[in-house]
Amino acid sequence: MKRNNFFLEIYNEFFHCITWPKWDDLQSTTMIVSFFSIFLSIFLYGVDGFFIFLIKKLFSL
């Protein structure tokens, strides 16, 4: 009996209570995440290059 009630509540929650974001909100959030992902990858590439440069200079002494 408990199991049936549990699955019924899951069904009701899933089909009647979940709301999806509006298309404009989804697009703006996607653009923000894409921008920061690209920015972070470029930043980490620069930091990695800087540390490689420092290590090469340190070991070439």
Side-chain angles (χ1 to χ4, degrees):
M1 188 66 171
K2 287 174 125 179
R3 187 175 288 165
N4 289 338
N5 190 22
F6 175 74
F7 288 118
L8 183 62
E9 288 180 14
I10 289 176
Y11 174 82
N12 287 333
E13 182 76 23
F14 188 74
F15 286 103
H16 300 293
C17 297
I18 293 178
T19 59
W20 293 97
K22 302 292 183 220
W23 183 247
D24 294 334
D25 295 336
L26 188 63
Q27 283 181 327
S28 64
T29 305
T30 302
M31 291 301 293
I32 291 170
V33 169
S34 299
F35 171 75
F36 279 109
S37 296
I38 292 169
F39 175 76
L40 184 63
S41 65
I42 292 170
F43 174 74
L44 291 177
Y45 179 77
V47 169
D48 187 45
F50 177 71
F51 280 121
I52 289 172
F53 172 76
L54 284 179
I55 291 171
K56 283 183 180 179
K57 288 294 182 185
L58 181 67
F59 286 115
S60 69
L61 295 176

